[in-house]
Amino acid sequence: MAPNDSAGRRRTARYAVPVAVAGVAAATIGLVPALAASGDPELPEITAQQLIEKIAASDVQQLSGTVKVTTDLGLPSLAGLGGDLGGGGAGGEAGLGKLMEFATGTHTLRVAADGPDKQRLTVVDDASAEYSLVRNGKDVWAYDGGSKEAVHSTEEAPAEDDGARPDTTPGLPSGPATPKALVDEALKAVDATTSVTVDGTARIAGRDAYQLVIKPKQSGSTIGSIKVAVDAGNGVPLKFTLTPSGGGKAAIDAGFTKVDFARPAASTFDFVPPKGAKVIEEPAAGAEHAVPKDALPEHALPMKPGKGDAEAFAGGEDLNVIGEGWTSIARIAGPVGGVPSELPEDAPAEAQQFLDALGDKATGAFGSGTVFKTRLVNALMTDDGKVYVGAVTPEALIAAANGDK
């Protein structure tokens, strides 16, 4: 086989999912190119389908930059919950603490990559409590400056041509709320219930970009629109903005403030535990556990329910999906007796306040239950032990429960 043929097959496998998305019926993806507004960069015309194909074909392996992430999911204050509920260590307090931190407020990440075996992502909100994930060849480090713990493991870098993540560009960080990770999730939701168009151009982190707009065609979704700024030169997503259907400021806004596509210095991926840090060595066989999955969540968008939702809410129970597209709702077998209105006496006061702030009582043909609301994801937990959850309005959840047989 000729070398070019091999490289071509690897690239085909790698981008199979995005290219399939790009092939959605023309009725779904806008074919009319948008023109730049006054003051925006003048770029060649491009259609939405061509722009999605550009994202899919992007083969950028090196970059460094700073990402600003602002999240407003409409959650009540989470102050104090991280330490009370998170346990301890790199996979306990640090894990849940980071999960909760990214649910609200503004955060700054520094990212760097040089192919699939050299990557670095650092949360830099607080210099004294830096949190870093570093891969340098087989060495993988997770460092939590708050607990001063460094977890080290050795594992093989992901194979570039294994096809395991065809919707992911090898080498680019896809950690919490990076534009790339969020765009990967958004593109998975594109189908006949979706409108995809190009809405002009923009200048992001000193780069010319096209603006891709993704919107549900259906009413009842909590997602109003998703705007993606795509680098006009290399197809890398530079900025991701999700606005709820209820209006107001963005629920998720993640974008580069600085970006450089030159190869980072090799020293960028060196990691030496700070003096006084506790180093935890993980055996090679347990390397997959060295960096807890919840330590830096990928911020996946629950626009369509899947198997993972059932596992999260019901310990692996099968789920039923009601409806389709952006207004699909997952019905899961939840705890018998629904959700308690009060937590155990030894639960932290903040947890009870959090529960009270989220939940509203609801009644209907289904009986009675509690609706838990955010700006994006809502859940109805009925008193007879069913859970209805989705990126839909509370009214849509109640209607689904009323009509569920």
Side-chain angles (χ1 to χ4, degrees):
M1 179 184 297
N4 287 345
D5 291 340
S6 177
R9 290 188 179 182
R10 286 200 299 270
R11 183 167 292 123
T12 298
R14 184 186 311 159
Y15 302 124
V17 170
V19 169
V21 170
V24 174
T28 299
I29 296 183
L31 298 179
V32 179
L35 301 177
S38 176
D40 291 330
E42 294 287 344
L43 298 173
E45 294 183 353
I46 192 170
T47 66
Q49 181 161 338
Q50 290 169 336
L51 189 52
I52 291 178
E53 290 173 350
K54 191 176 187 70
I55 297 172
S58 179
D59 197 22
V60 171
Q61 297 274 330
Q62 292 90 26
L63 68 72
S64 58
T66 303
V67 178
K68 180 180 178 181
V69 181
T70 299
T71 310
D72 181 5
L73 302 182
L75 295 171
S77 174
L78 301 173
L81 282 178
D84 289 329
L85 301 180
E93 182 176 342
L96 187 57
K98 291 299 173 187
L99 180 80
M100 291 187 168
E101 286 176 18
F102 274 89
T104 186
T106 298
H107 307 277
T108 301
L109 315 177
R110 288 186 186 142
V111 298
D114 184 5
D117 60 347
K118 291 185 178 182
Q119 302 174 335
R120 185 174 191 128
L121 187 151
T122 302
V123 182
V124 293
D125 294 341
D126 184 344
S128 64
E130 171 190 306
Y131 194 96
S132 293
L133 298 177
V134 183
R135 172 190 286 277
N136 193 345
K138 294 183 178 181
D139 289 304
V140 179
W141 288 91
Y143 175 68
D144 178 11
S147 62
K148 296 189 181 304
E149 289 186 348
V151 181
H152 175 248
S153 69
T154 57
E155 56 181 284
E156 295 292 338
E160 200 174 317
D161 59 345
D162 64 2
R165 292 287 302 276
D167 57 332
T168 301
T169 305
L172 294 192
S174 58
T178 58
K180 176 186 170 302
L182 292 165
V183 171
D184 284 349
E185 293 298 322
L187 290 181
K188 291 175 186 177
V190 173
D191 60 13
T193 67
T194 312
S195 165
V196 186
T197 58
V198 180
D199 186 19
T201 65
R203 186 83 173 163
I204 306 295
R207 305 279 300 185
D208 290 345
Y210 292 103
Q211 300 269 34
L212 185 71
V213 178
I214 303 170
K215 291 183 178 181
K217 289 183 177 180
Q218 304 158 297
S219 61
S221 172
T222 55
I223 296 173
S225 68
I226 294 171
K227 180 174 285 190
V228 180
V230 182
D231 192 291
N234 56 32
V236 171
L238 298 175
K239 187 174 175 64
F240 175 101
T241 304
L242 188 155
T243 303
S245 57
K249 61 184 179 180
I252 302 173
D253 187 82
F256 282 97
T257 57
K258 296 180 181 179
V259 66
D260 186 345
F261 292 104
R263 171 168 287 167
S267 59
T268 302
F269 309 100
D270 294 337
F271 181 82
V272 178
K275 185 177 180 179
K278 178 182 178 182
V279 177
I280 302 172
E281 290 287 346
E282 290 283 342
E288 67 271 18
H289 303 299
V291 181
K293 291 183 178 181
D294 64 346
L296 281 174
E298 289 196 5
H299 219 308
L301 303 177
M303 293 176 286
K304 294 182 179 180
K307 180 65 177 177
D309 299 291
E311 293 171 350
F313 282 89
E317 294 289 336
D318 290 338
L319 76 103
N320 292 316
V321 177
I322 301 171
E324 64 177 357
W326 297 72
T327 56
S328 55
I329 296 169
R331 187 196 69 187
I332 305 161
V336 177
V339 178
S341 59
E342 294 185 359
L343 295 176
E345 291 183 1
D346 58 351
E350 293 88 352
Q352 183 64 54
Q353 293 168 6
F354 181 75
L355 184 64
D356 292 342
L358 278 182
D360 289 333
K361 292 299 179 181
T363 58
F366 65 87
S368 59
T370 304
V371 175
F372 294 87
K373 298 182 293 185
T374 74
R375 297 181 72 202
L376 290 185
V377 181
N378 297 310
L380 167 63
M381 300 187 181
T382 65
D383 290 344
D384 64 356
K386 294 178 181 177
V387 179
Y388 299 83
V389 61
V392 298
T393 62
E395 293 77 13
L397 291 174
I398 292 173
N402 284 336
D404 190 24
K405 303 300 182 183

